Amino acid sequence: MRAAVVTAFDKPLEIQNLPVPEPGPHQVLVRIEASGLCHTDIHAAHGDWPVKPAPPFTPGHEGVGIVEKVGSAVTGRTVGERVAIPWLGYACGTCSYCVSGRETLCEAQLNTGYALDGGHAEYAVAHAEYVVPVPEGISPAEAAPLTCAGVTTYKAVKVSGVRPTERAAIFGIGGLGHLAQQYAQIFGAETVAVDITEDKLRLARDLGATHTVNAATGDPVAEIQALGGADVAIVLAASPRVLEQAHASLRRGGRLVLVSLPKDNAMRLPVFETVLGGISVIGSIVGTRADLAEVFQLHAAGRTRVSYETRKLEEINQSFEEILSSAVTARLVFEF
């Protein structure tokens, strides 16, 4: 099989011919049809985060494909079924987090495309209990971005506690942000889309944003406060400055939801304004298997649109550059 392999953090990925892996007793072998490119893949390939993956490895945690083999102990999955392989590749299933519906906080978890070889390959093995069936009517290329960008932003909207008629500001309209905006609108919120790229703001308007703010030409804090402030601000841009702008855009009682992971790992938090304004700061990690099933149900029902462009696996290094230069409006998906 062909696979995109990280051989070292300071080198481009290599397209290698590798043996097709065999599933273990509790695993399935999936023939990948589509695999979405997430910014986390770039962080993994470059070794940007404190806990680094160990080369050689294959990134990708938005893999969608057909189950071709099942392990001897697998009972819940069947050959021929289309499944998604998400970031949460494995969790222990028995800790307090797992048994209370917070499996993405499990301290024993293994992550796809990081600790486990991922979906940027023609085949991948995955733990059978942690793949999620893709409903009929959703194409693999649309299901792939929903597997991370979708479930991550859906979870962020859920934990924000946004209610109908509240105002939600989405900072960073792109692969994640265009989906976050749609989920906020499904929850009944008035949405404000903030970005520095006019193409992305145009996409936000097409998807129903009530207001758009170009942070390259205006002051997002002043413009959002002129509307009355945001009840919720969801931050998907990995910049400390954007995090601070999102905090300052909130009205009293507002909730700041942090999703992006700035390389600097820090932001300035004004304590007086946070305390006196009753501001909540919430960290939101990727959603659970149940969240992803809901994301797929919403999409199958026609409630969301996925903006994406397709690429070939051989173009993975150029695709990294496209993402880093903000040349892509939303999501890139490798098709096989």
Side-chain angles (χ1 to χ4, degrees):
M1 69 172 188
R2 292 177 304 131
V5 179
V6 177
T7 60
F9 296 134
D10 59 350
K11 293 182 179 179
L13 279 73
E14 296 180 6
I15 304 299
Q16 297 184 357
N17 287 310
L18 302 176
V20 175
E22 284 293 323
H26 297 277
Q27 295 179 321
V28 293
L29 174 67
V30 179
R31 174 175 55 81
I32 302 296
E33 299 173 294
S35 184
L37 177 57
C38 180
H39 207 128
T40 296
D41 297 332
I42 301 175
H43 289 305
H46 292 170
D48 287 338
W49 291 344
V51 178
K52 304 179 190 304
F57 68 95
T58 296
H61 53 274
E62 292 184 346
V64 173
I66 303 299
V67 175
E68 290 213 342
K69 289 184 182 180
V70 298
S72 59
V74 173
T75 58
R77 302 272 68 88
T78 58
V79 171
E81 186 177 20
R82 177 171 287 129
V83 297
I85 307 175
W87 171 252
L88 184 67
Y90 168 82
C92 74
T94 58
C95 69
S96 62
Y97 301 114
C98 285
V99 300
S100 61
R102 297 177 293 165
E103 60 193 19
T104 54
L105 299 180
C106 175
E107 293 182 280
Q109 70 181 272
L110 298 174
N111 301 118
T112 306
Y114 215 86
L116 306 170
D117 282 330
H120 295 335
E122 292 178 317
Y123 288 87
V125 293
H127 289 267
E129 292 185 1
Y130 288 88
V131 299
V132 177
V134 178
E136 290 289 335
I138 302 180
S139 72
E142 291 187 333
L146 295 173
T147 301
C148 180
V151 73
T152 297
T153 54
Y154 180 64
K155 182 62 174 288
V157 172
K158 287 178 86 172
V159 302
S160 78
V162 69
R163 298 182 292 274
T165 75
E166 286 193 318
R167 184 176 297 117
I170 313 299
F171 283 77
I173 301 298
L176 279 78
H178 86 287
L179 289 163
Q181 175 191 321
Q182 294 177 73
Y183 296 129
Q185 289 165 181
I186 288 170
F187 278 64
E190 169 191 328
T191 52
V192 184
V194 184
D195 206 278
I196 58 173
T197 305
E198 192 54 43
D199 284 347
K200 294 180 181 180
L201 294 174
R202 189 177 303 112
L203 172 62
R205 288 190 287 271
D206 289 343
L207 293 171
T210 312
H211 311 278
T212 58
V213 177
N214 190 326
T217 59
D219 180 354
V221 175
E223 293 192 37
I224 294 172
Q225 287 293 354
L227 297 171
D231 298 284
V232 166
I234 298 175
V235 188
L236 304 164
S239 161
R241 175 173 169 75
V242 176
L243 294 169
E244 292 157 16
Q245 289 175 329
H247 183 284
S249 75
L250 291 166
R251 65 194 301 250
R252 287 184 167 233
R255 287 89 74 196
L256 175 66
V257 182
L258 308 182
V259 179
S260 58
L261 298 172
K263 192 172 181 179
D264 296 336
N265 192 30
M267 66 172 288
R268 292 180 300 174
L269 184 70
V271 177
F272 271 79
E273 289 83 347
T274 300
V275 173
L276 299 180
I279 302 297
S280 300
V281 180
I282 304 165
S284 179
I285 197 167
V286 65
T288 64
R289 291 168 289 177
D291 292 322
L292 181 53
E294 292 174 10
V295 163
F296 284 150
Q297 289 174 354
L298 286 169
H299 194 69
R303 302 293 301 278
T304 55
R305 284 169 46 194
V306 180
S307 178
Y308 67 93
E309 299 176 22
T310 59
R311 297 289 186 271
K312 296 178 180 178
L313 187 63
E314 289 76 13
E315 299 173 308
I316 190 165
N317 291 303
Q318 301 95 302
S319 299
F320 275 25
E321 294 304 319
E322 289 185 83
I323 297 295
L324 291 171
S325 64
S326 298
V328 181
T329 303
R331 211 64 165 174
L332 291 184
V333 177
F334 301 115
E335 286 191 317
F336 295 84

